[in-house]
Amino acid sequence: MRKLFLSVLLAAQLPAVTALAQTQPTPATDSFKIYNRMLQPSEMQEDLKIFRGIREKANSGLYRYHSKKQIDSIYKWANGAVKKPMPVTGFFKIILELTDFEGSCHNHTEVGTELNSFLNRQQAFFPYDLKYLEGKIIFNQQLPEIPAGSRVLSINGVPDTTLMRSFYKYLTGDGYTITQKLSGSVSRAYGVRYLLEYGLHDQFTLTFTPPYSREVKSATLPAVTLEKRKQNLAGRFSARLDSIIDYNVQPKYSFRMMDDKTALLNFRIFSMAYGPDDPLFPGYVKWVDSVFQLLDKQAVPNLIIDIRSNPGGSDPTFEQPMMYLTDHDFKENASAYISFDRDKIPYEEYFWGVSTSHKYTADEIKEGYKFLKEYFLPYKDGKSLQNPALNPVYHPKKPAYKGRLYLLIDENTASAASHLASLVRAYARNVTIVGVETVGGYYYHNGHSPLVYQLPHSKIKTQFSIVAVTQDAPLKPNQPEGRGTMPDYEVWPKYDDYMQGKDTQMEYVLKLIREKQ
């Protein structure tokens, strides 16, 4: 079943809507007000009522991590926050908080098409890349006025810690995981999300300290178009290092011997085939087998599997390497279901499709119903269970790899890739996991089949995956409930290594291997 590629508990107090930064507006501000129209309380209240109704009826993961009392509490906060007129972007932030609270890395929220398109046309983008390192915002471009590696202390008067926290709600994760929020609040925040959060500005004034210095300096950078920002990002300081785990740059899967005792197997994205009937699938299966044949023939004692920043993909691609790493039978899941009748999509009048970029036609909706009837059994006792024929047992394959396995994961390991990490933690032989807790869960996830709805007044689109999956993941003492796959050695990229162009996590694994030889 195909998975989406797309993932903090509320603290003692429920969140407040973030205020816009007060800096000089761009000439596009007047046009922005047209697209970012004021919503009346009655409109937002109706959208909230519909939004919750959709989640109650269609989202099987709504109560996975929170009680009804907790869900009621955050909706009470949301309804209390819409007592006065508010622009779409303000209401959007409320919807983001509700979506994030649910705890699914497959949740995604967008403003309406016209507003999103307007923002992407503006010359209002932050011009350069920023990187999260050791809890700080690091400037990731070499400029005469701002050296690469400088720590950013504020942007347009907003302190670094405030900036980072304001973007947490945009970055959903399974359960209570926050690892992707930490890094993503910098690396994934300064495109259109900054415009949504802080409005349009024609310049950005930064305070910063240069590398290995405590001197506070200031510089002002002009805003740029989105296209110019993309061009600048290609020349960022860490481009070569970043490219190592970038599925847009690297092959989807690859293998090489690092030396005569250590092999490296990379899976950058699990989209090499879209299912067992895909013509590309047999070739991929044969390639995986050839890798393990070589490892066995050469008796390679160390195997590194790198799935860092792998956003996911499709069954049964990620199960293929797993069969050579275990002595256990395993399944894709222990159970899976949707919470509504497969014969009737809830709130169909607000249904958009399965992607925010394309609205389903009537014929496509008919095909969607055929899919649901194929994959799920008739509705019974509040659930439509997965067709058991689509959840096969996977058996160990030969030649089994019996050497030392090292799995590299990070906070952007999601969906099918985090599911592989879960299986490796559960059943692999002689494994050591290095890196950062995955954004995808160890025990559970909501995945597989996405639905997108559009709210009638705000035109906000909300996307979530409808299948509640309990993974084939036995209880482990080092795997707390509601978290991603945990590493044996938590290793984040280090600032000094970044400055020297070194891969901190890979270097750590190679050090472990040397110490055991």
Side-chain angles (χ1 to χ4, degrees):
M1 220 184 222
R2 186 174 180 181
K3 286 186 172 67
L4 277 180
F5 291 171
L6 300 177
S7 222
V8 176
L9 269 174
L10 289 177
Q13 295 182 344
L14 291 169
V17 179
T18 306
L20 296 180
Q22 299 299 312
T23 60
Q24 183 179 354
T26 69
T29 299
D30 289 342
S31 296
F32 186 27
K33 290 178 181 178
I34 297 173
Y35 289 94
N36 187 29
R37 76 177 187 87
M38 295 297 290
L39 295 169
Q40 297 303 310
S42 60
E43 294 177 304
M44 293 182 284
Q45 288 162 7
E46 184 175 357
D47 272 10
L48 278 174
K49 182 178 179 180
I50 292 167
F51 182 84
R52 180 161 189 180
I54 290 167
R55 313 312 268 205
E56 292 280 0
K57 295 293 186 181
N59 187 353
S60 58
L62 180 61
Y63 296 111
R64 171 73 80 180
Y65 302 106
H66 301 101
S67 67
K68 187 176 185 303
K69 183 178 179 180
Q70 290 172 316
I71 297 295
D72 287 346
S73 179
I74 193 170
Y75 275 91
K76 181 179 179 181
W77 162 79
N79 280 286
V82 296
K83 300 294 187 182
K84 296 180 180 180
M86 184 185 299
V88 169
T89 51
F91 184 59
F92 175 65
K93 294 170 192 177
I94 294 172
I95 296 295
L96 283 175
E97 295 282 5
L98 297 173
T99 305
D100 179 40
F101 188 66
E102 292 173 1
S104 174
C105 72
H106 289 92
N107 284 1
H108 175 68
T109 308
E110 287 184 11
V111 293
T113 303
E114 291 186 357
L115 175 54
N116 194 56
S117 178
F118 169 80
L119 291 172
N120 282 316
R121 296 194 303 268
Q122 302 313 301
Q123 186 169 322
F125 285 86
F126 189 84
Y128 299 110
D129 192 44
L130 299 172
K131 202 168 187 68
Y132 175 87
L133 289 168
E134 299 179 358
K136 303 175 180 67
I137 300 177
I138 302 301
F139 193 75
N140 193 25
Q141 203 92 15
Q142 187 67 44
L143 299 181
E145 59 269 48
I146 312 178
S150 295
R151 178 187 176 183
V152 176
L153 302 175
S154 70
I155 298 175
N156 285 348
V158 182
D160 55 352
T161 53
T162 302
L163 285 166
M164 288 188 279
R165 288 171 186 157
S166 70
F167 291 111
Y168 283 5
K169 58 185 173 288
Y170 291 83
L171 300 148
T172 59
D174 282 356
Y176 318 119
T177 61
I178 64 167
T179 50
Q180 190 186 78
K181 293 180 184 296
L182 297 175
S183 65
S185 67
V186 179
S187 63
R188 297 185 176 197
Y190 287 84
V192 73
R193 286 172 176 167
Y194 184 91
L195 278 60
L196 288 164
E197 189 68 17
Y198 291 101
L200 306 181
H201 307 283
D202 60 8
Q203 62 185 25
F204 301 91
T205 298
L206 283 66
T207 60
F208 65 94
T209 56
Y212 306 108
S213 170
R214 294 184 179 180
E215 182 184 6
V216 177
K217 294 187 174 183
S218 178
T220 298
L221 304 172
V224 298
T225 63
L226 180 58
E227 184 59 33
K228 179 60 177 175
R229 172 178 161 81
K230 290 177 179 177
Q231 292 173 10
N232 290 343
L233 264 56
R236 65 195 182 279
F237 181 76
S238 65
R240 185 199 63 79
L241 188 61
D242 296 342
S243 71
I244 294 171
I245 57 173
D246 186 348
Y247 68 87
N248 293 302
V249 177
Q250 300 296 338
K252 294 179 180 180
Y253 52 98
S254 62
F255 173 82
R256 69 182 176 92
M257 295 297 300
M258 302 185 77
D259 57 41
D260 60 347
K261 294 184 179 180
T262 302
L264 174 61
L265 180 55
N266 292 302
F267 293 103
R268 297 273 66 90
I269 189 169
F270 284 112
S271 63
M272 58 283 290
Y274 291 106
D277 298 328
D278 190 321
L280 296 175
F281 185 68
Y284 167 67
V285 172
K286 185 176 180 180
W287 180 86
V288 172
D289 185 71
S290 72
V291 167
F292 285 94
Q293 293 286 351
L294 185 149
L295 292 170
D296 184 65
K297 182 178 180 180
Q298 297 187 11
V300 178
N302 304 296
L303 172 62
I304 303 169
I305 296 182
D306 187 352
I307 56 172
R308 289 177 294 171
S309 293
N310 183 321
S314 306
D315 298 325
T317 57
F318 70 88
E319 292 94 343
Q320 299 310 305
M322 187 64 211
M323 290 186 280
Y324 297 88
L325 304 173
T326 182
D327 297 316
H328 296 266
D329 290 345
F330 64 92
K331 300 175 75 173
E332 193 271 343
N333 63 69
S335 69
Y337 66 88
I338 59 175
S339 58
F340 60 89
D341 189 337
R342 65 179 189 173
D343 295 324
K344 180 62 177 175
I345 295 174
Y347 287 83
E348 190 172 322
E349 62 269 39
Y350 305 112
F351 175 66
W352 173 273
V354 299
S355 165
T356 57
S357 61
H358 172 70
K359 183 174 176 60
Y360 257 26
T361 64
D363 287 342
E364 287 171 324
I365 291 174
K366 289 180 182 178
E367 288 300 312
Y369 276 118
K370 289 181 182 178
F371 168 85
L372 291 175
K373 288 181 179 180
E374 177 184 355
Y375 276 89
F376 299 100
L377 301 179
Y379 189 70
K380 183 180 179 181
D381 299 328
K383 298 177 181 179
S384 293
L385 297 174
Q386 180 189 40
N387 183 341
L390 300 173
N391 187 29
V393 176
Y394 293 91
H395 305 288
K397 274 190 175 182
K398 294 182 179 180
Y401 182 70
K402 297 288 183 69
R404 290 188 293 269
L405 172 65
Y406 298 87
L407 182 69
L408 270 170
I409 59 174
D410 69 5
E411 70 278 18
N412 297 314
T413 302
S415 196
S418 58
H419 202 156
L420 173 59
S422 172
L423 288 169
V424 168
R425 164 64 74 206
Y427 295 124
R429 313 176 194 92
N430 196 19
V431 62
T432 300
I433 302 180
V434 175
V436 177
E437 177 189 357
T438 62
V439 69
Y442 171 78
Y443 293 108
Y444 314 105
H445 75 269
N446 255 68
H448 296 315
S449 305
L451 292 186
V452 178
Y453 288 87
Q454 180 170 266
L455 300 178
H457 299 294
S458 63
K459 305 303 179 185
I460 290 169
K461 297 190 190 80
T462 177
Q463 176 174 298
F464 55 93
S465 289
I466 59 176
V467 187
V469 177
T470 299
Q471 296 175 178
D472 187 355
L475 186 67
K476 296 277 185 177
N478 58 349
Q479 282 297 151
E481 184 84 8
R483 299 290 294 276
T485 296
M486 309 296 287
D488 297 303
Y489 297 94
E490 183 177 24
V491 181
W492 287 83
K494 292 183 178 179
Y495 178 82
D496 289 344
D497 288 340
Y498 157 83
M499 293 298 290
Q500 298 172 43
K502 292 181 180 179
D503 184 342
T504 302
Q505 293 159 332
M506 181 63 76
E507 292 289 335
Y508 193 94
V509 170
L510 295 175
K511 181 174 178 288
L512 287 177
I513 291 172
R514 289 193 299 269
E515 290 173 348
K516 291 187 177 182
Q517 288 177 349

